[in-house]
C-alpha cells in the first residue's frame, strides 16, 4: 500500500529511529497495520498541517478505512492503519 510506503519514507527522513516494527492483523472484515518506531517523535498538532499526513489520512478514508497516529516529541511514533476487506 502506498500509505505504508509513505509512513516508512517519513520515518527514514525525519524520525532518526534505530528500530521499527510492523505488525499485521486480520479481523473478520478488516486488515490492520501497526507501525512503531523509537525515533524522536513529533508534535502531531503542528504536523497535521503538513500535506503528507493529510494525504495519508485521506487515502485511508477513500478506501473506507482510517489512519491514527500516536506520537509526541521524544517518544517515537505509532501509526495504526485499518482498512476494510
Amino acid at each position: 500500500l502506498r500509505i505504508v510506503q509513505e509512513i516508512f519514507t517519513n520515518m527514514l527522513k525525519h524520525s532518526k529511529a534505530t528500530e521499527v516494527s510492523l505488525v499485521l492483523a486480520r479481523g473478520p472484515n478488516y486488515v490492520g497495520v501497526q507501525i512503531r518506531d523509537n525515533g524522536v517523535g513529533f508534535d502531531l498538532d503542528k504536523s497535521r498541517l503538513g500535506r503528507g499526513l493529510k494525504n495519508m489520512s485521506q487515502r485511508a478514508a477513500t478506501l473506507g478505512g482510517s489512519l491514527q497516529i500516536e506520537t509526541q516529541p521524544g517518544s517515537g511514533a505509532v501509526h495504526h492503519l485499518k482498512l476494510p476487506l
Side-chain angles (χ1 to χ4, degrees):
L1 284 172
R2 178 73 178 116
I3 300 167
V4 173
Q5 180 183 7
E6 184 68 21
I7 291 169
F8 276 100
T9 298
N10 288 343
M11 284 181 187
L12 287 171
K13 285 183 182 178
H14 306 294
S15 78
K16 300 180 184 173
T18 58
E19 295 180 16
V20 174
S21 68
L22 183 140
V23 177
L24 295 173
R26 182 171 188 253
N29 58 358
Y30 72 90
V31 63
V33 180
Q34 180 189 73
I35 303 170
R36 178 184 303 267
D37 72 60
N38 69 344
V40 298
F42 56 95
D43 185 332
L44 191 55
D45 291 329
K46 291 181 182 176
S47 295
R48 283 246 182 246
L49 301 175
R51 285 190 355 222
L53 292 176
K54 192 175 188 178
N55 287 343
M56 288 189 295
S57 292
Q58 288 176 341
R59 279 193 188 110
T62 298
L63 296 170
S66 64
L67 175 65
Q68 297 178 339
I69 303 168
E70 299 173 34
T71 187
Q72 61 184 12
S75 295
V78 184
H79 296 75
H80 302 276
L81 176 62
K82 189 173 182 180
L83 298 172
L85 291 175

